[in-house]
Amino acid sequence: MAATNAIGRMLDSDLWWSFKRSPVTVLSAIVALVCIGGAVLAPLIAPHDPFDLASLQLMDAFKPPAWSAEGDLTYLLGTDDQGRDMLSAIMYGARVSLLVGIFATLFATMLGVAVGLLAGYTGGLVDNVLMRVADIQLTFPSILVALLVDGVVRAALPREVHDQIALFVVIFAIGISEWPKFARTVRGSTLVERNKEYVLAARVIGISRARIMVTHVLPNVLGPVLVVATLNLGLAILAEATLSFLGVGVPPTQPSLGTLIRIGNDFLMSGEWWIAIFPGLALVAMVLSVNLLGDWLRDALNPKLR
Amino acid sequence: MFAFIVSRLLQAIPVMLVVALISFAMFAYVGDPVAIMLGQDFTEAQRAKLVQDLGLDQPFFVQFLKFVANAAQGEFGLSYRLSRPVAELIAERAPATLELAFCAAGLALVVGVPMGVYTGLYRNSWLSRLFLTFSLIGVSLPTFLIGILLILVFSVWLGWLPSFGRGEVVQLGWWSTGFLTWSGIKALILPSITLGLFQLTLIMRLVRAEMLEVLRTDYIKFARARGLGNRAVHFGHALKNTLVPVITIAGLQLGAIIAFAIVTETVFQWPGMGLLFIQSVGVADIPVMAAYLMLIAAVFVTINLVVDLLYYAVDPRLRVDRGVARGH
């Protein structure tokens, strides 16, 4: 019963109404679902296993997509230099891209929310110092920060250690490059919330500062964070793809879409265009649909635009 | 004015010091430069001498001060990978990056501003819609993918333009330029478009939004009422007032151009500083990485400073009493 109620409430809500009204949003939601579904279910629905060395046929290397003259129906989008099926490689690659994007955004969100809450609620010197740091970081493009952090960590760790934790390093680098946006958003709303009566009431009855911040102020400042996080997810996926394309991102044993494009780039000049272009299209479809959803969410939740 | 410059300079110093500290920490704690420089066979005496020569036996703070003093003079030591002075390597690569950044920024401004004005003035024409759709694509495509698509179409399929390198360059003193040969100019086209496209769409959207805003204001109505022609109103009155935010964003984007030059240079194998940095990251060539880090920080701090000053020069409201300016 509870479930149907929840669905009924959702179908009745303003959000659902504004969703249905915009064909672009519905379309991007479908594209995003296809991308995410393909990525999550890759081990179940991918036609081949690109990591199963036994099934790789070097004879099948460089097959063009199925619709061209020399194409093969078993490899719908063609194969790469090692005879891996491009469609399967893209599905597995999207998995890595999505994973890094989501965790980097989560990391940036948690760090940014914590800093913003602390700065906004405490005020004074803490606020000054933390926000100055955020401002300074914001003057540098986030991709540059991610690249430098990744480069420094890469140089600092011995190669064997780095290869093992490369995924975490990328997540850390991208997350650390994007927290100031969250901190600024949260600080802004915290400044508004902290003078409201419920906070005053909580203080009067003697609840500790940390508890007021976490249990009272935090839930009330999370709304805008959701929008920033959605828009940030697209950026984080792009940042990961860029790092991997430059060869400093995820390890080659776990290729993401960026890695696949990097590999394909080597064969572009000899005419094997599909190795780079299809992962690129998948990346664009994923990022564009997530961004359009983020735009919609921002407008739908903004009371001024209603 | 003077106080303003001084306060901005004072803000820049801690940023540079923090970046210097990070760079120095990389030097001090990452890898073992002595082992790298000595190679396989060495005696303990050689080792001790090298440690002393490099000043590695001195306290942290002394080493850091030395590092800052050297860095201020552009002295970063030898590249581990190429065994050549880092300053020399960077000076050699700088013209390539700067020419590329200059062309990309020029392209973004020269094409972006007119497109923005047009889409702002005729916002319902089909051409405006085309421009806006195009700008959405420009924003959504990652830089490296734009480069790959351009290479595929113009180098592989059409064979019109080169896909990598700078073509023939002419040496003017220490500066190597690609502007003076036909192949150098041809080699610049695709990388400049790749690097400038995002900035172009950004500037176009910004100018459009500002134009729409300004055209609604009263002084535009008064200018029309005074009988001024479209040309004078659009360019003399409207465009002029959209330029303040455009200058700020365009200036700040110059930094972004230099950052994204890393990506463009990798796609096109453009022999600039970005490619040098990426190659150094791959093999943990710390001196080059540290020098690049400091250089980029210095560039960004300078750009921010210059943009602030320009802002000050362009917007007369900032020049009057600052308290009044803040009041509205």
Side-chain angles (χ1 to χ4, degrees), chain A residues 1-54:
Chain A
M1 253 343 254
T4 46
N5 265 345
I7 291 171
R9 254 186 24 221
M10 195 188 91
L11 291 176
D12 245 4
S13 67
D14 287 352
L15 214 56
W16 181 251
W17 179 78
S18 82
F19 177 76
K20 273 192 309 188
R21 222 176 40 138
S22 150
V24 176
T25 311
V26 175
L27 184 70
S28 46
I30 294 171
V31 174
L33 273 182
V34 169
C35 290
I36 295 170
V40 173
L41 301 176
L44 299 176
I45 59 174
H48 302 266
D49 182 356
F51 299 113
D52 181 11
L53 292 173

Side-chain angles (χ1 to χ4, degrees), chain B residues 210-286:
Chain B
E210 290 292 323
M211 282 295 275
L212 289 176
E213 193 97 334
V214 169
L215 285 174
R216 278 210 304 257
T217 52
D218 285 341
Y219 74 87
I220 294 292
K221 285 185 197 139
F222 277 111
R224 287 199 195 283
R226 265 161 55 205
L228 292 179
N230 266 341
R231 224 180 116 116
V233 173
H234 293 161
F235 294 98
H237 288 72
L239 181 62
K240 222 175 177 179
N241 281 285
T242 64
L243 286 183
V244 176
V246 172
I247 287 176
T248 322
I249 300 288
L252 293 177
Q253 286 301 312
L254 207 59
I257 285 185
I258 289 173
F260 277 104
I262 297 178
V263 180
T264 311
E265 285 176 9
T266 309
V267 177
F268 289 93
Q269 291 299 302
W270 189 263
M273 297 185 290
L275 191 62
L276 179 71
F277 175 71
I278 278 296
Q279 288 165 344
S280 307
V281 169
V283 295
D285 190 347
I286 310 282

Side-chain angles (χ1 to χ4, degrees), chain A residues 166-234:
Chain A
L167 218 53
F168 298 99
V169 174
V170 178
I171 290 171
F172 173 77
I174 296 174
I176 209 96
S177 72
E178 280 165 349
W179 69 270
K181 278 180 283 188
F182 293 95
R184 298 249 309 221
T185 313
V186 170
R187 175 180 174 266
S189 358
T190 306
L191 284 180
V192 176
E193 295 295 324
R194 104 176 148 179
N195 294 325
K196 287 200 175 157
E197 280 177 351
Y198 71 90
V199 176
L200 215 59
R203 275 168 61 191
V204 167
I205 57 174
I207 299 176
S208 76
R209 199 181 245 198
R211 187 138 175 234
I212 294 178
M213 271 195 258
V214 176
T215 59
H216 296 259
V217 180
L218 182 63
N220 288 299
V221 297
L222 279 182
V225 170
L226 184 68
V227 176
V228 181
T230 321
L231 287 169
N232 193 72
L233 178 61

Side-chain angles (χ1 to χ4, degrees), chain A residues 136-155:
Chain A
I136 289 173
Q137 202 189 313
L138 274 175
T139 60
F140 294 86
S142 60
I143 184 72
L144 188 66
V145 176
L147 186 60
L148 295 177
V149 171
D150 190 89
V152 170
V153 174
R154 180 172 290 262

